[in-house]
Amino acid sequence: MRAAIFDAPFSIRMAEAPKPRPRAGEVLVRVKAAGLCAGDLYIYTGKNPYVTYPRIGCHEIAGVVESYGAGTSGPAIGTRVVVDPFIGCGHCYPCRIGKRNCCANLTIVGVHREGGFAEFVTTPVQNLNLVPETLTDFEAAFAEPVAIGVQGCRRGMVTSEDTVLVLGAGPIGLAIVEVARAVGAKVYATDLSAERLSTAADLGAIPIAGGAGLLERVLEISNGEGMPVVMEATGAATMMEETIDLVAAGGRIVILGLLKKGQGITYPGLDFTRKEVTILGSRASVDCFPEALALLASGKIHYPKIASSFALGEAPGVFQTLADNPMALHKAVFVSEG
């Protein structure tokens, strides 16, 4: 099969690769649309700490059921599906309490095993989610990033009564904006990039200029209280540290951004009790795909409309472009030509 293969940092090529064979309990999916996310760009730039090379990346996958491994059954051949890329072991403590996204022995499609930048991919059959008829393959490929937004909003217990501040208007920040607005929350967004902030505004967020003076602007808007919910999606240590100042007393902080392994952040110790804040981490998603697909099908999520479509053969050029300028595209999706 044809595939885009990462050989090493800053090295990706189109090549023939062995067509995977599904084992017992697995399904072979013919890929129809494969989204490019920050994690894939980190593989390209050598910043993903979990990947080994060579690797076929991509964990945002929409396609159709092609075949099953021995003794395995599931949706009919040809059924349109999306793949939940997080595969838990089923035995560790996180898996036992329903948090397989935090599995101690986690396997991620496109990171630890071959992903969707290819004609075919295998996955455990239980990781399939059916695509609503009204969605195109291109739109269905957004289920995974939207699911991250769903998970973040669930972790933050966001409701229609809340006002939410989203830090960072990149792909994940935009997904949070849309999901939070879909549940009825009032949403503000901030970013250093005026272009990204404009996109967040197009999706319904109220923009707040980032950079110096952000705290003063937030306090002015909130009558000195701070924001009830602060969602951090920048992956910048300085912004993670500022969440404690931006959040209202009694509010919630949700950290979705990633730092390098071992990198620390500092919070004023007194504010843990003085403000009685709830600080939560949010990793990928668990059992959020059905809600994400339903939101996409409802028309409440407009994110796909600002994305760009490419043929898989264009992958090397697209990755080079984004490595040179991460803001060159809001989102790239590689769509099957067949």
Side-chain angles (χ1 to χ4, degrees):
M1 66 176 182
R2 292 286 288 170
I5 303 173
F6 296 107
D7 286 315
F10 297 100
S11 176
I12 183 174
R13 61 189 167 90
M14 294 302 303
E16 294 293 322
K19 180 180 176 181
R21 295 182 178 181
R23 297 175 295 182
E26 292 187 339
V27 57
L28 180 69
V29 174
R30 181 185 291 270
V31 178
K32 292 294 186 180
L36 187 164
C37 89
D40 298 306
L41 191 58
Y42 289 159
I43 294 175
Y44 179 71
T45 58
K47 296 179 180 179
N48 188 310
Y50 307 112
V51 74
T52 56
Y53 301 92
R55 177 65 66 215
I56 299 172
C58 181
H59 58 271
E60 300 178 3
I61 305 164
V64 297
V65 174
E66 184 78 6
S67 65
Y68 289 97
T72 306
S73 61
I77 303 301
T79 300
R80 298 173 63 233
V81 294
V82 293
V83 174
D84 182 342
F86 276 64
I87 304 170
C89 70
H91 305 294
C92 67
Y93 174 71
C95 284
R96 295 198 306 273
I97 64 169
K99 287 181 171 286
R100 63 182 182 278
N101 57 319
C102 302
C103 174
N105 307 293
L106 185 66
T107 297
I108 305 173
V109 175
V111 178
H112 305 103
R113 59 188 281 169
E114 307 299 19
F117 291 148
E119 293 180 88
F120 298 94
V121 66
T122 58
T123 187
V125 67
Q126 65 265 27
N127 285 55
L128 295 183
N129 294 267
L130 303 185
V131 175
E133 292 183 2
T134 56
L135 291 181
T136 65
D137 296 326
F138 178 86
E139 293 166 333
F142 285 81
E144 200 276 339
V146 173
I148 293 175
V150 171
Q151 176 81 1
C153 286
R154 286 182 182 179
R155 293 286 288 157
M157 298 173 287
V158 175
T159 72
S160 60
E161 302 298 316
D162 283 314
T163 299
V164 178
L165 172 62
V166 179
L167 306 181
I172 299 305
L174 294 179
I176 298 166
V177 165
E178 293 239 85
V179 174
R181 277 183 44 78
V183 301
K186 184 176 183 180
V187 181
Y188 290 87
T190 187
D191 199 286
L192 292 174
S193 165
E195 183 179 354
R196 282 186 168 183
L197 203 54
S198 176
T199 301
D202 291 341
L203 295 178
I206 303 169
I208 304 176
L214 174 62
L215 176 59
E216 289 73 20
R217 289 187 286 276
V218 168
L219 291 176
E220 181 179 358
I221 290 168
S222 61
N223 296 318
E225 291 186 341
M227 293 292 179
V229 184
V230 177
M231 312 279 280
E232 197 288 319
T234 69
T238 53
M239 291 308 299
M240 290 184 187
E241 291 177 334
E242 194 167 4
T243 58
I244 195 71
D245 298 318
L246 296 168
V247 73
R252 288 97 73 196
I253 295 169
V254 183
I255 305 294
L256 294 96
L258 298 177
L259 296 178
K260 293 181 180 179
K261 185 176 181 179
Q263 183 177 2
I265 61 171
T266 301
Y267 281 141
L270 179 61
D271 284 343
F272 280 93
T273 50
R274 182 181 70 84
K275 299 186 81 171
E276 200 177 59
V277 294
T278 300
I279 303 174
L280 302 137
S282 184
R283 182 178 187 181
S285 70
V286 61
D287 299 327
C288 294
F289 271 70
E291 183 175 343
L293 286 163
L295 284 171
L296 284 161
S298 74
K300 294 180 179 179
I301 304 297
H302 304 284
Y303 193 7
K305 296 179 181 178
I306 63 171
S308 302
S309 174
F310 299 90
L312 182 59
E314 298 178 85
V318 172
F319 272 95
Q320 182 175 343
T321 296
L322 288 172
D324 293 339
N325 178 13
M327 290 181 285
L329 297 168
H330 293 302
K331 180 74 175 178
V333 178
F334 298 105
V335 178
S336 169
E337 298 172 331

